[in-house]
Amino acid sequence: MFKKILALVFLLALVATSTIMLSTSAAQAEVIDRSIAHDEETGNTTINETIVLEVDENGVAKESFEPFNTESNIIEQARNQFDADLSEETIEHFDFASAQEDVVQLAPLEEFEKSEDKDDVRAQSGGYVQVQTTLDFNATDKTVTYGARISQLVGTRPVVLITGGTLYSSNSYNGTFSRVSHHTKEFTGPQIRIGASYKKSYKVPSSKYFITDYVSTAGWIGKAPLTEKTSIGPFLTNKKAALYPQYYNSHNKRYMPAPARADMKVVPADQRTKRDPKIINKYQKWYIGQYGDPKIKWESYDIHHIIPLKYGGTNAMNNLIHLPRDFHQKKVTPWWSAY
């Protein structure tokens, strides 16, 4: 099954969401809010999404279906629908623009933080549930933790709410991602309450690209179950589970690219490209010729190899970027030291 995936990293993130209407206009499911928090001190990053599953009060009375008019039936239908939307063992991610490239342009964090507007119809709603999903990259514990919690309930409580997440990893930005962790939680009756949640952690074995899928299904009496499914990623982490640093050049309006592979091997010192001693002057001349004079204090910047020479990078201009020295030495270099 081909997934719609929106790439995101740190200081990056991206999200792809789809709203799935499973009955009539009286019922809906959607993502209404996204946010991200990054701890500069620890390097930990947490990504949250809020999902709404909602059923119209009048629609329930007018459009009830025989298969959905008992609690046992709606739970059975919700389970079947949830299972039908569970992710595959493997998924494919392919960006044609970067298919043959050594580096890729991961979409920025700022795009992920944009939230979608939603009219407040809760006062007229027969049933309204918010499920907040969480994805946490913990550089302290070297784990990726995903989960969900019920953050809001309004009106009629559903008889069943099923939510789950699947974590995929790959050595490459493009290609096959394999399932490395999965968890499902079913809530019924009084278990459906604000604060009810689940979490699942995965120990990162090495530098990896990750994608996470979330599925949430809710069922009310008299209404076909509603399902919302979202995919988020790819994210690139090092072996400490720290997200690849994001840097935005406000002059040429470009972000620092990321390596397309998470499994590059160290090139023996006697076989790797040597650093060009004149690289600073060559790069400055090239950059100004390409983008114009940024009018910066060049002495405050370092010239960074996007693919380090240690991993087979070269002194080619398209493999170079100038970074503020403090950012380069405190963020980028430590990330690569744990690659």
Side-chain angles (χ1 to χ4, degrees), residues 165-230:
T166 304
L167 186 68
Y168 297 89
S169 75
S170 176
N171 288 326
S172 175
Y173 174 78
N174 284 308
T176 301
F177 282 69
S178 299
R179 185 166 70 183
V180 294
S181 181
H182 175 76
H183 189 73
T184 297
K185 183 71 174 179
E186 179 179 308
F187 302 97
T188 57
Q191 295 175 338
I192 305 175
R193 55 180 176 77
I194 294 175
S197 64
Y198 81 87
K199 279 189 178 182
K200 185 74 177 290
S201 293
Y202 174 75
K203 193 82 168 180
V204 174
S206 59
S207 297
K208 292 288 183 182
Y209 268 102
F210 288 100
I211 290 173
T212 305
D213 278 357
Y214 293 102
V215 180
S216 291
T217 298
W220 284 263
I221 296 294
K223 180 63 60 176
L226 303 175
T227 294
E228 172 71 11
K229 185 174 184 178
T230 65

Side-chain angles (χ1 to χ4, degrees), residues 60-224:
V60 170
K62 293 179 180 179
E63 302 165 4
S64 59
F65 297 90
E66 186 64 27
F68 309 118
N69 61 3
T70 68
E71 184 172 323
S72 60
N73 282 335
I74 197 65
I75 291 174
E76 180 182 0
Q77 292 294 329
R79 287 172 178 166
N80 292 339
Q81 187 166 296
F82 182 88
D83 289 343
D85 277 279
L86 280 180
S87 301
E88 308 288 341
E89 289 286 339
T90 62
I91 57 175
E92 297 295 323
H93 176 260
F94 198 77
D95 175 9
F96 289 93
S98 62
Q100 304 300 322
E101 301 297 326
D102 292 330
V103 298
V104 294
Q105 187 61 69
L106 295 167
L109 168 65
E110 288 80 2
E111 290 188 19
F112 180 73
E113 289 187 298
K114 293 176 183 177
S115 297
E116 299 172 3
D117 293 330
K118 181 180 184 298
D119 294 334
D120 189 352
V121 296
R122 285 173 287 176
Q124 293 79 39
S125 175
Y128 178 99
V129 180
Q130 282 188 3
V131 178
Q132 185 183 64
T133 63
T134 298
L135 181 60
D136 180 53
F137 296 91
N138 192 310
T140 305
D141 297 335
K142 302 179 183 179
T143 58
V144 177
T145 299
Y146 59 95
R149 66 182 292 273
I150 301 173
S151 56
Q152 191 169 146
L153 283 169
V154 178
T156 304
R157 184 197 308 268
V159 297
V160 62
L161 173 64
I162 311 172
T163 182
T166 304
L167 186 68
Y168 297 89
S169 75
S170 176
N171 288 326
S172 175
Y173 174 78
N174 284 308
T176 301
F177 282 69
S178 299
R179 185 166 70 183
V180 294
S181 181
H182 175 76
H183 189 73
T184 297
K185 183 71 174 179
E186 179 179 308
F187 302 97
T188 57
Q191 295 175 338
I192 305 175
R193 55 180 176 77
I194 294 175
S197 64
Y198 81 87
K199 279 189 178 182
K200 185 74 177 290
S201 293
Y202 174 75
K203 193 82 168 180
V204 174
S206 59
S207 297
K208 292 288 183 182
Y209 268 102
F210 288 100
I211 290 173
T212 305
D213 278 357
Y214 293 102
V215 180
S216 291
T217 298
W220 284 263
I221 296 294
K223 180 63 60 176

Side-chain angles (χ1 to χ4, degrees), residues 6 44 114 118 241 253:
L6 189 61
N44 299 342
K114 293 176 183 177
K118 181 180 184 298
K253 297 179 171 49

